[in-house]
Amino acid sequence: MTLHIPSSPAELAAVVAAARSTGTPLAVAGGGTRAGLGRPVQAAATISTERLSGITLYEPAELVIAAKAGTPLREVTEALAAKGQRLPFEPMDHRRLYGTSGEPTVGGVASANVSGPARINLGAARDSMIGLKFVNGLGQDVKSGGRVMKNVTGLDLVKALAGSFGTLAVFHEVCFKVLPKAEGERTLAMTGLSVPQAVAALSAALGSPFEPTGAAHWPASGGETARTLIRIEGFAAPLAYRTDALSKLLAPFGAVETLEADASAGLWADIRDAAAFAGTDAAVWRISVPPSAAPALADRLAPLEPRLMLDWGGGLVWAGVAATGDAGAGRVHAAAKAAGGYATLVRAPETVRGAVDVFSPAAGPLMAIQRKMKASFDPDGVLNPGRMYPGV
Amino acid sequence: MAIAFPAPRVDVLAKRDRVIAALKAIVPGEGVITEEKERRAFETDALTSYRRLPMVVVLPETTEQVAAILAFCHAEGVPVVARGAGTSLCGGSIPQEDAVVLGVAKMNRVLDVNFADRTMRVEAGITNLAISGEVAHAGFFYAPDPSSQLACTIAGNVAMNSGGAHCLKYGVTANNILGLKLVTVEGEIVEIGGGALDSPGYDLIGLLVGSEGQLGVVTEVTVRILRQAEGARPVLFGFREIAQAGQTVSDIIGAGIIPVAIEYMDREAIHICEAFAKAGYPLDVEAMLIIEVEGSDAEMEAMLVRIVDIARRHDVAVVKESKSAMETAAIWKGRKSAFGATGRVADYICMDGTIPTGRLPDVLEGIDRIVKGYGLRVANVFHAGDGNLHPLVMFNVNDPAEQVKAEHAGEDILRLCVQLGGCLTGEHGVGIEKRDLMREQFTEVDLLQQTRIKTALDPKWILNPAKVFPLDAPRDEAPREAA
Ligand SMILES: Cc1cc2nc3c(=O)[nH]c(=O)nc-3n(C[C@H](O)[C@H](O)[C@H](O)COP(=O)(O)OP(=O)(O)OC[C@H]3O[C@@H](n4cnc5c(N)ncnc54)[C@H](O)[C@@H]3O)c2cc1C
Ligand SMILES: Cc1cc2nc3c(=O)[nH]c(=O)nc-3n(C[C@H](O)[C@H](O)[C@H](O)COP(=O)(O)OP(=O)(O)OC[C@H]3O[C@@H](n4cnc5c(N)ncnc54)[C@H](O)[C@@H]3O)c2cc1C
């Protein structure tokens, strides 16, 4: 296994060009915290972004930060925190889920479009990504977007590449739009709701003018009672007002308890990181559906006896199931499809991941466009071949 | 006339009768427009100084008809220009003489409203304002609000990734679309995304939004709808110096406050808009800001206290806090009428560059120098929160030489924006207008990556030709598909 560690975009481009000319597929690694996620990549060589590191631009008053792709995410979040700012999409720290110890990188987060609970009103990583520099599978150094928030000049390759898992290009620099860190936060909590009741309550909160930035539900499991959670953030006066208004709105669903800043922050870090599944050996599915379909989805999954966690007002369902056989793949994909969504197997033993559809299979014409995308960025299939789909 | 159109292809023009017959077989009744007088309505958009009469216009009513039209045109190699309401400011929907204009305006139904999931599925030809209108009774709205929202369609918004004054908080079209029904150039119908926040595979919605009709025709859109805030209130500031206004904006954002809108107007724009709208704007200042906050009365009050405090620290000369719905309407009327009011004073071209907001004083000074250099006048209106400038370069349309000067001044302004770290267009798109400036922002390799995608999805380049990419943009052969 060869390991390439380029230290400049030019070196990176040269590595990819050479791999292309010799027909050697490359695995693309950031911090390598993925711990064997997704479809296993068969590659003779790995390209690491380790030496492409450092913040290249930070203008707090313009709400932008750019960093080289191998920059540990921590460096970025710390620089932002020092100025009272944050990445709006609250990237998950999945080391807890996978029990790994590497450093998540900026490039890894961008290429996996990692997004946390605030997704419901502040968007995913892709919504905050405004500029990208990358080397495509032809070994060409390309840029798209820039450092301004509004930019409609030409095709938006930044979004097209967000969430492409290193199968289209190797990023070497990413520019993000950022937001001020909220001055305070609070969580309204209810206990004992069923999944349909919880989703109804979360929908009511999200359909209110009080702008919740988190809406999650942990169904009853083992000895634990169910908890339904709504987060609000902001300056002191709005927080007090919104706590009051939301409590009234939610009263018909049950008693509402208020958690103050510290307790609230810890709770949402757990939700963000899917901590409920940390330290277990369950296979973990991440299922994206329209929120109102979540209760029916939960019913369909019941035979697998899953441990469930609902985020995004019910739009994101995490399901932990026994990691045996196909880890429920057949049932999970069918249930996700019936609910109008799709599922990704985010943690399972390699034997399982090699044998089942890790990502929901795309419909025929959609798959054809995916292949055309792959062909226009990486015609020879050099980068992370097979990571997302066979042949892509 | 600075912008070139490719010569119409003789072989395509020769097929006109066959094309018309085929389109009539697909879209019965009034849906095919062949008379010259009626085709004239489609020869230009809001970039009215350029126009070309299309070969024929077709107004389908279903996705299946769109698919059949594209399959036919693709097979015959006939160019197709998709069109919504034709309000594009960059000539994005101006056709060629050898093109079929495919207008989606008749496809304007609401297909589904889902308050629980906060989504709505609509046909592509519905107007932006009608989407919000459909859900207003329940206190919901669709966020991106281009000033043209009364007329422009969601299809055009998707194609241009349109934004508006309230994008600072709510994002642009790309941030508010969950699903698309797309017809490929071959006539295949593809469903992308839908009711869920994320969709599998590559982010094709992200790619298609802003692609200016280059990659396929959109027939249905699933949008996010949001709950309206309890209230909204603007404050108006007048400053004697441009730098004070710029510094106020920086400090507000630095203090962790993100208003829903921060609009900037320069002296010329203030005077023009005040003369038209009688909004009560201060006339003895160099720069004006309109800053809007949202929430309950108490929330707005708390936020405005902080904002006004920051402005005072920068010697604000005039502070007008709106105290009533009428005052709010007056403040916004002046700003929203900027284009119309300027049109009464002079002909103008509306530019649309963006800059890093920290470069505001530099860019305003540069624009002034450029425009004066051509002996012209300019009014600047601009989304100060996100650095999106709209310099209105004024000229006399009856003086062709002056029009050319105005176009050159506009191009120089966009070059300056790129030099300052910004880009050629923040919301209006490239179209024909900025096509030949693309190399200011992109290298050949950057352009090639874009044209390779174009070729992959439209191998014959028949979708909205001669837009977005310079006519001599580099192109690879059709990429073969990955094995
Ligand atoms: C297939 C797959 C599915 C995942 N699903 C989820 C999920 O649903 N939710 C979630 O929160 N997290 C998910 N993750 C985890 C996510 O990858 C990490 O949160 C994040 O990528 C960690 O960064 P890293 O630097 O450790 O990346 P790594 O673990 O090194 O790499 C992660 C992915 O990004 C690619 N990559 C890394 N750097 C670059 C670069 N510079 N340019 C291009 N591509 C690059 C890799 O090839 C790999 O596909 C998934 C990861 C993988 C591989
Ligand atoms: C007075 C005025 C104010 C404006 N203010 C703003 C503003 O504040 N913010 C802003 O962003 N823009 C603004 N605009 C520009 C314009 O309104 C937007 O670009 C709008 O989105 C265009 O919509 P339309 O329906 O008129 O599209 P058209 O002009 O008909 O077409 C625009 C583009 O979309 C493509 N297209 C149309 N339909 C489809 C389809 N079904 N599938 C694929 N492609 C399609 C066309 O080919 C063309 O490239 C303004 C324009 C005017 C005249």
Side-chain angles (χ1 to χ4, degrees):
Chain A
M1 174 68 112
T2 317
L3 180 65
H4 301 285
I5 318 182
S7 55
S8 69
E11 272 177 48
L12 171 65
V15 170
V16 177
R20 183 186 178 219
S21 65
T22 57
T24 320
L26 290 171
V28 184
T33 57
R34 67 189 182 278
L37 261 188
R39 289 174 49 86
V41 175
Q42 303 294 332
T46 296
I47 194 161
S48 160
T49 57
E50 197 181 318
R51 287 191 198 140
L52 298 166
S53 183
I55 292 170
T56 51
L57 166 100
Y58 179 29
E59 289 288 351
E62 292 173 12
L63 302 173
V64 287
I65 194 164
K68 294 188 201 166
T71 313
L73 190 67
R74 181 181 39 78
E75 275 181 32
V76 170
T77 48
E78 283 174 6
L80 291 171
K83 296 280 180 195
Q85 298 187 328
R86 63 170 167 179
L87 293 171
F89 53 93
E90 264 190 313
M92 161 183 193
D93 183 345
H94 56 283
R95 282 173 291 191
R96 293 163 81 181
L97 182 56
Y98 304 124
T100 52
S101 58
E103 279 272 6
T105 63
V106 166
V109 163
S111 89
N113 190 24
V114 181
S115 317
R119 169 85 178 90
I120 42 169
N121 75 338
L122 298 177
R126 53 91 88 176
D127 293 286
S128 293
M129 286 167 60
I130 57 177
L132 204 55
K133 294 181 184 165
F134 60 89
V135 169
N136 64 16
L138 297 154
Q140 295 165 333
D141 190 358
V142 183
K143 72 168 181 313
S144 182
R147 55 163 295 195
V148 287
M149 291 181 203
K150 274 170 94 183
N151 184 347
V152 294
T153 325
L155 299 181
D156 190 347
L157 306 185
V158 182
K159 296 222 167 34
L161 288 169
S164 61
F165 292 103
T167 60
L168 298 180
V170 187
F171 308 160
H172 62 81
E173 192 173 325
V174 190
C175 187
F176 294 104
K177 174 172 103 178
V178 303
L179 278 183
K181 224 184 173 90
E183 202 175 62
E185 73 170 85
R186 252 180 221 175
T187 295
L188 305 183
M190 287 180 287
T191 49
L193 303 190
S194 67
V195 170
Q197 287 168 334
V199 171
L202 296 176
S203 278
L206 290 171
S208 78
F210 311 121
E211 299 180 2
T213 61
H217 177 71
W218 301 26
S221 158
E224 289 174 50
T225 46
R227 299 233 275 165
T228 308
L229 307 160
I230 291 155
R231 178 176 63 180
I232 45 176
E233 295 176 273
F235 296 110
L239 267 187
Y241 170 77
R242 288 179 184 189
T243 305
D244 199 42
L246 268 173
S247 300
K248 286 198 188 99
L249 180 83
L250 293 170
F253 296 96
V256 182
E257 176 201 356
T258 307
L259 304 176
E260 295 302 325
D262 287 347
S264 173
L267 198 53
W268 290 97
D270 284 353
I271 294 167
R272 181 192 71 197
D273 298 343
F277 307 103
T280 72
D281 51 15
V284 179
W285 289 90
R286 184 178 181 278
I287 311 167
S288 202
V289 292
S292 58
L297 175 82
D299 284 348
R300 283 207 178 81
L301 295 179
L304 297 173
E305 297 180 10
R307 169 86 167 96
L308 294 180
M309 189 187 88
L310 277 57
D311 197 356
W312 303 356
L316 174 62
V317 179
W318 293 90
V321 304
T324 50
D326 73 345
R331 183 173 287 276
V332 174
H333 283 307
K337 192 170 177 205
Y342 76 105
T344 310
L345 180 57
V346 296
R347 190 183 74 183
E350 184 155 337
T351 45
V352 176
R353 283 180 289 114
V356 307
D357 283 319
V358 169
F359 296 91
S360 287
L366 198 55
M367 199 61 211
I369 299 185
Q370 309 265 339
R371 288 181 192 284
K372 286 177 181 170
M373 288 276 284
K374 174 76 174 173
S376 51
F377 282 93
D378 179 23
D380 300 307
V382 178
L383 302 175
N384 269 354
R387 164 68 84 191
M388 289 178 75
Y389 300 104
V392 173
Chain B
M1 292 289 188
I3 300 167
F5 282 76
R9 280 169 43 193
V10 183
D11 59 322
V12 174
L13 292 175
K15 292 183 198 174
R16 180 161 192 260
D17 290 345
R18 218 142 62 81
V19 172
I20 290 173
L23 294 178
K24 283 191 164 160
I26 297 167
V27 181
E30 310 277 274
V32 181
I33 297 172
T34 56
E35 290 301 313
E36 180 176 331
K37 210 167 68 226
E38 292 166 53
R39 277 184 288 142
R40 286 256 170 248
F42 299 88
E43 67 181 358
T44 188
D45 51 22
L47 188 69
T48 49
S49 43
Y50 292 88
R51 50 190 70 221
R52 288 289 183 280
L53 193 63
M55 180 160 74
V56 51
V57 177
V58 59
L59 304 174
E61 293 182 42
T62 66
T63 298
E64 288 67 29
Q65 289 175 354
V66 173
I69 295 165
L70 285 174
F72 171 80
C73 290
H74 179 65
E76 296 283 340
V78 177
V80 179
V81 178
R83 184 178 174 105
T87 66
S88 169
L89 286 161
C90 63
S93 47
I94 297 179
Q96 297 82 33
E97 294 94 331
D98 58 2
V100 171
V101 166
L102 189 169
V104 293
K106 282 191 178 175
M107 301 174 66
N108 58 6
R109 288 177 306 162
V110 172
L111 301 171
D112 181 46
V113 181
N114 185 330
F115 289 114
D117 293 340
R118 298 168 308 286
T119 60
M120 185 168 164
R121 201 157 55 87
V122 297
E123 288 183 332
I126 191 171
T127 65
N128 175 294
L129 201 60
I131 297 178
S132 287
E134 183 73 21
V135 292
H137 68 275
F140 282 78
F141 73 115
Y142 171 66
D145 56 343
S147 312
S148 53
Q149 66 185 152
L150 185 63
C152 67
T153 64
I154 190 73
N157 292 175
V158 166
M160 291 307 192
N161 194 11
S162 302
H166 292 85
C167 288
L168 182 59
K169 177 170 173 199
Y170 294 112
V172 292
T173 304
N175 310 117
N176 288 279
I177 301 295
L178 293 180
L180 293 176
K181 188 180 270 188
L182 177 83
V183 183
T184 68
V185 75
E186 289 94 354
E188 287 238 49
I189 299 168
V190 188
E191 302 259 6
I192 305 169
L197 278 179
D198 284 342
S199 53
Y202 297 131
D203 189 348
L204 299 176
I205 294 177
L207 176 69
L208 288 161
V209 173
S211 64
E212 304 197 22
Q214 292 292 317
L215 304 179
V217 174
V218 172
T219 60
E220 281 178 25
V221 186
T222 304
V223 302
R224 301 180 71 170
I225 50 172
L226 302 176
R227 179 62 189 257
Q228 284 160 5
E230 286 171 273
R233 210 191 298 159
V235 55
L236 181 158
F237 294 132
F239 294 91
R240 301 219 195 281
E241 285 169 37
I242 290 165
Q244 294 169 337
Q247 210 48 55
T248 299
V249 174
S250 297
D251 286 4
I252 290 171
I253 288 170
I257 303 169
I258 303 291
V260 273
I262 308 182
E263 296 290 298
Y264 176 102
M265 292 166 82
D266 72 359
R267 175 184 264 282
E268 188 82 42
I270 298 168
H271 281 252
I272 289 173
C273 293
E274 177 61 16
F276 175 77
K278 310 274 183 296
Y281 289 174
L283 295 174
D284 54 348
V285 295
E286 285 305 312
M288 203 181 91
L289 293 174
I290 300 173
I291 301 184
E292 182 154 281
V293 297
E294 280 185 351
S296 64
D297 284 336
E299 288 176 284
M300 291 192 291
E301 196 55 48
M303 204 114 76
L304 285 173
V305 165
R306 283 170 179 246
I307 290 173
V308 171
D309 186 49
I310 291 169
R312 290 210 197 284
R313 272 187 259 142
H314 294 291
D315 290 328
V316 65
V318 178
V319 179
K320 274 182 87 159
E321 278 186 65
S322 165
K323 295 285 176 223
S324 67
M326 235 167 66
E327 283 176 25
T328 295
I331 289 178
W332 277 111
K333 185 177 173 216
R335 164 63 186 88
K336 293 215 163 177
S337 62
F339 291 3
T342 307
R344 285 164 29 119
V345 180
D347 305 298
Y348 67 89
I349 46 175
C350 171
M351 305 314 294
D352 169 50
T354 67
I355 49 144
T357 49
R359 307 304 298 268
L360 174 63
D362 302 330
V363 80
L364 289 175
E365 195 187 306
I367 290 174
D368 195 53
R369 193 182 59 239
I370 290 167
V371 173
K372 281 197 177 124
Y374 286 98
L376 299 171
R377 281 201 304 160
V378 66
N380 281 295
V381 182
F382 138 64
H383 307 304
D386 50 29
N388 192 181
L389 308 162
H390 292 312
L392 306 178
V393 181
M394 292 177 261
F395 67 99
N396 176 359
V397 79
N398 296 317
D399 179 349
E402 203 171 282
Q403 175 168 352
V404 172
K405 280 188 200 166
E407 286 182 1
H408 285 312
E411 288 171 8
D412 289 352
I413 290 171
L414 295 183
R415 285 193 187 95
L416 175 67
C417 289
V418 175
Q419 280 158 19
L420 293 176
C423 64
L424 294 174
T425 168
E427 58 183 23
H428 295 169
V430 177
I432 58 168
E433 187 198 28
K434 283 153 257 170
R435 181 187 75 197
D436 297 319
L437 289 173
M438 288 285 274
R439 287 190 171 92
E440 299 289 329
Q441 195 174 325
F442 296 111
T443 64
E444 291 302 285
V445 164
D446 298 340
L447 282 175
L448 189 56
Q449 181 61 67
Q450 295 186 34
T451 59
R452 226 185 276 116
I453 295 174
K454 165 74 173 169
T455 306
L457 292 180
D458 177 19
K460 298 183 186 174
W461 282 60
I462 61 164
L463 290 173
N464 207 5
K467 312 280 163 58
V468 184
F469 306 109
L471 296 180
D472 62 346
R475 287 190 205 179
D476 273 351
E477 326 245 294
R480 59 199 165 73
E481 289 191 16

